[in-house]
Amino acid sequence: MTVETVAPRPRSVRNLRLHGLLYLLPALLLVLGIVYAGIGYTGWTSFYQWDGLSPTKKFVGWGNYQRMLDDKVLWRALRHVGIFAVLTIFLQMAIGLGMAMLLRRGLVAGAAVYKAIMFIPVVMAPAVVATVFRDIMNPDGWMQSRMAENGLGALVHPWLADPKTALYGIVAINIWQWTGFSFVLYQAALAQVDEGLFEAASIDGASALQQLWYVLLPQLRTAHLTLIMTGCIGSLKTFDIVLLTTGGGPGRASEFLTTYIYKQAVVQFRAGYSAALSVLMLVVAVTITVIQMRLARLGED
Amino acid sequence: MNRRPRRRARVLAQVVATLVAAVYLFPLVSAVLVSGEGGEGYAKNYWVVLTESPLLRFARNSLVIVIGTVSITYVATMLAAYAFAKVRPVGNKTLYYMVLAALTLPAISLIVPLFAMVQRFNLFNNYFAVILPLAATSVPFTVLLTRNFMEGVPNELLEAAEIEGASSFRALLHIVLPLAKPISAVVIVWTLLGSWNEFFLPLLFFQDPSMQVVTQVPTYFTGVYSQDTPKVFAALILISMPVVITYLSMQRYFERGLTAGALK
């Protein structure tokens, strides 16, 4: 957590109370001028029926919000985001922590290479990752056509084109791309764990599993919380890989809130409804953040 | 766990780590292998993509976005972080929390206003239509990182500068910024990565084929080379090279940004 400094500000800058604001001007212009003004405009537009192009808008009050209640596609999209969040957050944390523990304290040779392999996907563009996996998950792609030739035909499946598996295909892609993030975070957190606790625990006769569960995992609390929080926000934000693999389909089988907002605005020309959906998304993002901050504060007491 | 791990545990750990890493390495290897398919081999595929496709022009457009976003973000971040950490003008606390509140904002929720703004001022195919929103959504994170770092700069240094008659701006330039080099590297590296990989904003606002950026390669090239997956993949490898090389050579800064932002 941020430590508030109590020391007086340096004398050189003491009489800068007002024109010190000049330093803040560029950042505030960007954040207020684009982000806050944007949110304001989104909120205002959400009360109108508008195609996003014509000069006239029709005021519909809460109409767009009422429409959300009966919008089956929206509820489906939200359910998809929920499933996606639970699966990706849990699996990325589990694999990341497992790898971080394996690669700790010189247990494994070549740890730096393993680390680079896990982290390279994090820096790659989702647009690139999506295209690579579209080939991997396609029966006509390079990998699956070789599998078919070599007697593995039973495993050949159009993962992203089958409505039953499309969402899980995207889950797998996300796990591949983001496990390195959990891994590096856990690695940094593990480096700060007090080894003395383990000695105490093993003297008390705790098994390795008990040590993991009762001693290690609670010590990594900040890392867990951070990963859950960034994972929730990240799931809410996920857009590129969905649009470039399934486009939200087949049908609506892998629609996300982001792809739905995008389609409403750009494909269907329903800017008003798209804005209302954006407001919903903002409310969800803010709620997640507030809950996480509360939890972090609880942990400090 | 305090004992030296036994030999069997070591072998087991090595095997498990290798298996997991192999699974993660596989998609990368498959992408490289696919890029050499098609009977003409790697050299030919990559050569054709480099010389006969618009890849380099896409890369140049991306580079303009990266330079613009990184410079604007860097300047805005250093000035604001200095003010929040040291100058502390009136209302700085409120303003700081206002900037932080934008931290978790999904850029896509601004689709309607951004579109309206770009249309009103006719900024389609204008670099600033992408650069300014990118900088605005990067700034909250970079300000948070840099402000925390600058809080650690001792006030005595700044007071000494004042005794010698330096203005607050000169103190920033000659004392704070040189000390803030490590965090500047983090800010630059993460902003560079985010803007090179950005997909959504160029997709919305760059409609002219000559204005496409590297993340449009999959969409654009699949149209042009519909029957030639190897060339699409060669292009994917080429556009990933800059970020992968940047990561491998600046690993420390990537990780510091990640852990500093997440584990405070």
Side-chain angles (χ1 to χ4, degrees), chain A residues 13 16 23, chain B residues 79 82 166-175:
Chain A
V13 291
L16 286 177
Y23 286 111
Chain B
L79 292 173
Y82 179 56
S167 66
S168 72
F169 187 67
R170 283 181 63 106
L172 170 65
L173 280 189
H174 298 293
I175 297 169

Side-chain angles (χ1 to χ4, degrees), chain B residues 189-207:
Chain B
V189 156
W190 277 98
T191 315
L192 182 153
L193 179 73
S195 44
W196 181 265
N197 286 346
E198 173 67 21
F199 170 74
F200 170 63
L201 292 167
L203 170 76
L204 271 189
F205 300 132
F206 289 174
Q207 295 167 340

Side-chain angles (χ1 to χ4, degrees), chain B residues 220-229 232:
Chain B
Y220 185 85
F221 279 39
T222 307
V224 179
Y225 295 117
S226 59
Q227 298 305 315
D228 205 348
T229 313
V232 177

Side-chain angles (χ1 to χ4, degrees), chain A residues 53-64:
Chain A
L53 300 165
S54 65
T56 52
K57 301 180 173 78
K58 186 179 153 215
F59 183 76
V60 291
W62 293 95
N64 284 323

Side-chain angles (χ1 to χ4, degrees), chain A residues 4-295:
Chain A
E4 293 299 334
T5 40
V6 281
R9 73 178 61 74
R11 215 178 310 133
S12 64
V13 291
R14 232 173 247 167
N15 42 19
L16 286 177
R17 297 288 288 166
L18 261 179
H19 71 255
L21 283 172
L22 279 176
Y23 286 111
L24 294 175
L25 201 59
L28 290 179
L29 274 179
L30 285 171
V31 175
L32 298 182
I34 294 180
V35 177
Y36 281 87
I39 293 172
Y41 189 88
T42 303
W44 181 67
T45 311
S46 73
F47 293 110
Y48 288 84
Q49 191 182 65
W50 184 38
D51 62 6
L53 300 165
S54 65
T56 52
K57 301 180 173 78
K58 186 179 153 215
F59 183 76
V60 291
W62 293 95
N64 284 323
Y65 292 92
Q66 271 161 359
R67 214 175 108 193
M68 278 187 201
L69 297 173
D70 300 321
D71 184 344
K72 291 209 177 68
V73 179
L74 170 64
W75 293 103
R76 229 179 134 184
L78 288 175
R79 204 173 66 229
H80 292 158
V81 176
I83 295 171
F84 177 88
V86 171
L87 289 177
T88 56
I89 293 171
F90 176 73
L91 289 168
Q92 283 160 205
M93 283 171 73
I95 304 171
L97 178 59
M99 271 306 255
M101 288 180 61
L102 282 177
L103 298 188
R104 138 175 203 258
R105 293 194 300 145
L107 196 63
V108 167
V113 177
Y114 293 105
K115 182 190 209 172
I117 291 172
M118 301 290 289
F119 203 78
I120 284 176
V122 176
V123 303
M124 288 175 64
V128 170
V129 172
T131 317
V132 170
F133 274 90
R134 219 169 48 192
D135 190 72
I136 289 178
M137 294 189 176
N138 178 355
D140 300 325
W142 179 86
M143 181 185 89
Q144 295 202 32
S145 48
R146 262 155 200 73
M147 282 164 64
E149 286 163 17
N150 293 294
L152 290 168
L155 295 174
V156 168
H157 187 82
W159 299 101
L160 294 167
D162 177 349
K164 287 202 193 73
T165 54
L167 179 63
Y168 302 99
I170 297 173
V171 167
I173 300 173
N174 197 82
I175 292 174
W176 180 80
Q177 179 155 35
W178 289 101
T179 301
F181 181 83
S182 313
F183 166 67
V184 168
L185 210 65
Y186 276 128
Q187 206 175 39
L190 278 172
Q192 292 165 7
V193 167
D194 179 6
E195 294 281 338
L197 282 174
F198 292 107
E199 284 175 30
S202 65
I203 289 168
D204 288 344
S207 71
L209 210 63
Q210 283 173 323
Q211 286 183 31
L212 171 72
W213 191 257
Y214 294 107
V215 183
L216 184 61
L217 289 186
Q219 291 258 314
L220 301 174
R221 202 170 172 282
T222 317
H224 303 320
L225 264 180
T226 306
L227 287 171
I228 292 171
M229 148 91 172
T230 50
C232 287
I233 300 288
S235 303
L236 206 56
K237 281 184 179 179
T238 301
F239 174 73
D240 311 12
I241 57 167
V242 185
L243 197 74
L244 284 170
T245 51
T246 65
R252 300 282 191 185
S254 59
E255 199 74 80
F256 276 54
L257 185 53
T258 48
T259 52
Y260 194 44
I261 289 175
Y262 172 77
K263 286 178 190 172
Q264 286 295 320
V266 175
V267 183
Q268 311 239 263
F269 297 108
R270 289 183 187 143
Y273 192 52
S274 181
L277 293 170
S278 302
V279 171
L280 173 70
M281 184 157 159
L282 278 172
V283 170
V284 176
V286 169
T287 310
I288 294 169
T289 312
V290 170
I291 291 174
Q292 196 265 350
M293 282 166 70
R294 285 274 156 79
L295 286 176

Side-chain angles (χ1 to χ4, degrees), chain B residues 113-125 129 205:
Chain B
L114 288 178
F115 211 85
M117 219 181 323
V118 166
Q119 205 166 41
R120 164 81 54 87
F121 299 107
N122 198 14
L123 291 173
F124 286 107
N125 302 313
F205 300 132

